[in-house]
Amino acid sequence: MGRTSDAKEKILGAARTLIELRGYSALGVAEICKAAGVPKGSFYYFFETKEALALAVIDEHWADQERDWRRILSGEGEPLARLRRLFEATQAVQRAGQQNCGTVSGCMFGNLTLEMSNQTEAIRGRLQEIFEAQVDMIEAVVVEAKARGDVAVADTREAARSVVAQLEGHVLFAKLYNDTQRLGPLWANCLALLGARAEMAHGL
């Protein structure tokens, strides 16, 4: 049982790394298994199709990210301070990825949305669920900030959706230009989008 579980984790780990580096479409089962160091037959023992593997990779990646987002956004401090920490954590992840492999990898979910959303309904549906969950978490913070009078937005849901879209867009540009400095204006733009009070903007 231990060896079986170990082989599955190796496949998932290899697939996650390769998808982050090169995307999904260009990968073959043989390449994934070679990178994982397991026989090709092992792949089909755990996954019926490459799409099934992609969904498992997406779920594993989201489980890690969701845990981090919840820890940061439900932590101590004022709501906007917590939101800023999320942005700083995102920047740190992109910088670390660039230092490790020489390129900005971007957001796996954003990358797969661009690559796969018109090709497979299962992956598109799962990505929609993940982005809606991100919007849920951001909205909870925006609602808190609005109740304190820190921001001025008419529709907290749409404001949260815009924050997520802005975050994804800046990460996309960082990937395109292979330059994490593109993430620099992210926080100031977020404050402007939310209509943050001037003293809040200066204080943060």
Side-chain angles (χ1 to χ4, degrees), residues 71-203:
R71 174 181 54 79
I72 293 168
L73 293 178
S74 63
E76 297 181 355
E78 297 176 356
L80 288 182
R82 283 179 268 137
L83 185 58
R84 182 170 191 173
R85 285 200 292 272
L86 176 67
F87 282 31
E88 291 171 343
T90 299
Q91 291 175 297
V93 167
Q94 295 302 320
R95 283 195 297 268
Q98 185 181 39
Q99 290 170 0
N100 289 336
C101 65
T103 59
V104 177
S105 60
C107 168
M108 178 188 287
F109 306 131
N111 295 345
L112 288 175
T113 295
L114 293 172
E115 181 184 3
M116 299 296 301
S117 62
N118 291 326
Q119 298 182 40
T120 159
E121 187 60 36
I123 290 177
R124 175 166 62 178
R126 187 67 187 108
L127 291 170
Q128 287 175 350
E129 292 171 357
I130 288 169
F131 281 120
E132 287 301 319
Q134 290 182 353
V135 172
D136 287 343
M137 285 188 272
I138 297 294
E139 185 184 16
V141 177
V142 174
V143 167
E144 256 191 275
K146 183 177 181 180
R148 290 166 46 93
D150 294 341
V151 300
V153 293
D155 186 328
T156 57
R157 185 69 181 177
E158 286 308 311
R161 197 180 302 281
S162 294
V163 170
V164 172
Q166 181 174 246
L167 182 60
E168 282 295 320
H170 275 269
V171 170
L172 175 64
F173 273 115
K175 176 180 173 67
L176 175 64
Y177 291 95
N178 194 33
D179 181 8
T180 55
Q181 294 302 313
R182 296 278 172 169
L183 298 170
L186 184 55
W187 179 240
N189 291 345
C190 177
L191 290 175
L193 185 155
L194 293 174
R197 289 189 289 116
E199 58 269 33
M200 292 300 301
H202 293 309

Side-chain angles (χ1 to χ4, degrees), residues 16-91:
R16 182 169 171 174
T17 298
L18 289 169
I19 288 172
E20 287 179 335
L21 289 174
R22 294 178 43 209
Y24 169 87
S25 300
L27 297 180
V29 171
E31 181 182 7
I32 293 168
C33 291
K34 182 179 179 181
V38 301
K40 189 174 179 180
S42 298
F43 180 94
Y44 294 104
Y45 179 81
F46 299 111
F47 306 102
E48 291 185 7
T49 62
K50 195 173 82 163
E51 179 185 277
L53 171 63
L55 287 167
V57 169
I58 288 169
D59 285 343
E60 183 179 67
H61 190 68
W62 173 235
D64 291 341
Q65 189 182 94
E66 182 184 25
R67 183 175 58 251
D68 289 340
W69 278 44
R70 291 196 183 282
R71 174 181 54 79
I72 293 168
L73 293 178
S74 63
E76 297 181 355
E78 297 176 356
L80 288 182
R82 283 179 268 137
L83 185 58
R84 182 170 191 173
R85 285 200 292 272
L86 176 67
F87 282 31
E88 291 171 343
T90 299
Q91 291 175 297

